[in-house]
Amino acid sequence: MRPLKAFINQASLRHNLSIVKQLTPNSKIMSVVKANGYGHGLINAAQGLHESDGFAVLSLNEAIDLREHGFEQDILLLEGAFEAYEISIAAKMGINLVVHNLHQLQMIENSKLNHPIDIHFKINTGMNRLGFNSNDAKDILKSLQKKSYFKSITLMTHFATADESKGVDWQFNIFNNIAKQFNFSRSVANSASILNFKNTHLDWVRPGIMLYGASPIVGKKSSSFNLKPAMQLKSKIISIQNLSKGDSIGYGDSFKANDDMRIAVVACGYADGYPRHAPSGTPVYIEGRKTFTVGRVSMDMLYIDITNISGASISSDVELWGEHIPVDDVAEKSGTVGYELLCAISASKRVPIETIYG
C-alpha cells in the first residue's frame, strides 16, 4: 500500500475550539466544517468539535449527514437553499438557512412550510459576493418580521479584510447601522476577526481555519495564537538518488545540483493535493530535522535534499506538514494559503485519512 496518509488529531481540534471559547466567552460558536471539514473529514471534524453550539456547512447533504450521525446542534447552510425542495427538508430536520437574495425568500414563501424555519439574513456590506444590498435590507427585514414561517432571524455579514490592515470598521459600521434597528441575533466574526477584533464577537462567531490549527492572518504563525495543527500529512522515502555536481532531477531540468547531493524521492505529488507550484526550498521534516524540496513536484512524487541527513533511508517517515512543518509555511512558499492545501487533501480522494482519538 502506498505510504502517504493524513492523520487527524481530534485532541488538537478540541484544543483549538477551547482557544475560541477563551476569546469569545459571551458568544455562541458556529464551527465551520464545510469542504469536508476543511479536508479533515466532515464527521471527524464535527466529532472533534462536538462542544460547538452549531456547525456551518455548504450543502444539504452535509447537514443531513451531521444529523444522521447524531449531532443535535444548530446546523447552518452557508449559501442557503439552492433548490426549492431543500427548504421543506431543512425545516423538518431543523436545519437553518442563510438567505442572501429575494429568489431564496420567494422559494421559502412558496414552500408553504409546516415547520417554521430559522434563517440567517445576510447583508452585503462591501464584499460584494453574497447578501442583500445594505440600502434595501432594512425594508426587507421589516416585511420578514410579519412572516409566520420564520422561527427566528439572525443578521450576518462577512468581512473581506479582517486579516489585513484595512480591518473591518468600513463594513462593521454599515452592518451596525442596520442591526441596531432590530432585536435580532447577530453573527459577523470569522477566524481573523475573532483574533483581531474583540468588538465583533457578537451573539454568534463563525471560526473556520483557526479550528484546524492554521493561521487566518498572513505573516502570523498559528503558534503565535497557541493553535495546534489538526492534520499531519506524512509519507515515506521510496527511492534515493545520488547526484553529482551539475546533475538535475525531475521534469523540466529545473534544478541542478551545485555539488554532490543525496536526494530522496517521496511518495506524494500534486495529484494528492501537494502544490505543484511548490518551489525548491519548500520545507519538509525527516529523521528529526528540517530539510527542503528540490526540483519540480510530479503527479505522484516529490524530491527532498537528504545530503546531510545520514539516518535517512528508504522507508524513512517524511512529514510534509503538521507538527513540525506548519501548513502555512508550505503555503507561503508556494504562493497560496493553508486553506487550499488542507482542502486539497480530501479533494484528491487519494489520501487515506486516519483519525487519532484521545
Side-chain angles (χ1 to χ4, degrees), residues 90-259:
K92 184 176 180 180
M93 298 188 73
I95 295 166
N96 305 343
L97 300 178
V98 166
V99 176
H100 58 80
N101 60 44
L102 291 174
H103 175 68
Q104 290 180 326
L105 286 176
Q106 189 65 57
M107 286 197 300
I108 292 173
E109 185 167 354
N110 293 341
S111 294
K112 312 292 184 187
L113 294 175
N114 294 320
H115 304 81
I117 196 164
D118 296 298
I119 67 166
H120 280 52
F121 183 93
K122 190 162 194 175
I123 302 168
N124 175 16
T125 56
M127 191 167 183
N128 294 316
R129 193 170 66 174
L130 298 178
F132 291 91
N133 186 291
S134 58
N135 294 323
D136 302 327
K138 182 174 68 173
D139 289 339
I140 296 171
L141 284 166
K142 285 181 178 178
S143 70
L144 296 185
Q145 286 180 305
K146 305 171 185 177
K147 307 294 184 182
S148 61
Y149 43 78
F150 294 129
K151 186 177 179 181
S152 72
I153 298 174
T154 297
L155 303 183
M156 70 181 298
T157 194
H158 196 65
F159 294 135
T161 55
D163 58 338
E164 298 177 12
S165 58
K166 188 174 181 178
V168 300
D169 284 350
W170 63 286
Q171 291 183 265
F172 198 33
N173 291 337
I174 295 171
F175 177 85
N176 284 330
N177 285 336
I178 297 168
K180 68 183 181 183
Q181 301 178 56
F182 300 92
N183 189 28
F184 295 144
S185 295
R186 299 158 299 158
S187 172
V188 299
N190 56 8
S191 290
S193 49
I194 287 171
L195 294 169
N196 278 343
F197 303 104
K198 186 176 180 179
N199 62 323
T200 67
H201 302 172
L202 305 178
D203 301 287
W204 286 93
V205 293
R206 304 191 306 270
I209 192 66
M210 68 181 297
L211 294 172
Y212 306 97
S215 175
I217 302 170
V218 176
K220 289 192 176 181
K221 293 187 178 296
S222 57
S223 58
S224 67
F225 304 114
N226 195 26
L227 300 172
K228 296 182 178 179
M231 179 191 291
Q232 185 181 42
L233 183 64
K234 293 181 69 176
S235 191
K236 293 182 181 291
I237 293 174
I238 59 172
S239 178
I240 293 176
Q241 300 293 333
N242 294 300
L243 304 187
S244 299
K245 182 177 180 179
D247 285 347
S248 63
I249 189 166
Y251 287 115
D253 200 27
S254 62
F255 175 83
K256 289 186 182 294
N258 291 325
D259 210 333

Side-chain angles (χ1 to χ4, degrees), residues 56-106:
V57 295
L58 189 69
S59 72
L60 181 61
N61 285 342
E62 290 173 309
I64 292 172
D65 201 8
L66 288 173
R67 283 282 184 256
E68 290 181 342
H69 278 82
F71 293 98
E72 298 179 354
Q73 294 97 324
D74 284 13
I75 298 176
L76 177 66
L77 299 188
L78 283 169
E79 292 181 11
F82 297 102
E83 302 289 344
Y85 76 86
E86 297 178 313
I87 295 170
S88 58
I89 297 172
K92 184 176 180 180
M93 298 188 73
I95 295 166
N96 305 343
L97 300 178
V98 166
V99 176
H100 58 80
N101 60 44
L102 291 174
H103 175 68
Q104 290 180 326
L105 286 176
Q106 189 65 57

Side-chain angles (χ1 to χ4, degrees), residues 318-331:
V318 179
E319 181 190 285
L320 300 163
W321 63 67
E323 181 181 358
H324 303 97
I325 304 294
V327 68
D328 297 316
D329 288 0
V330 179

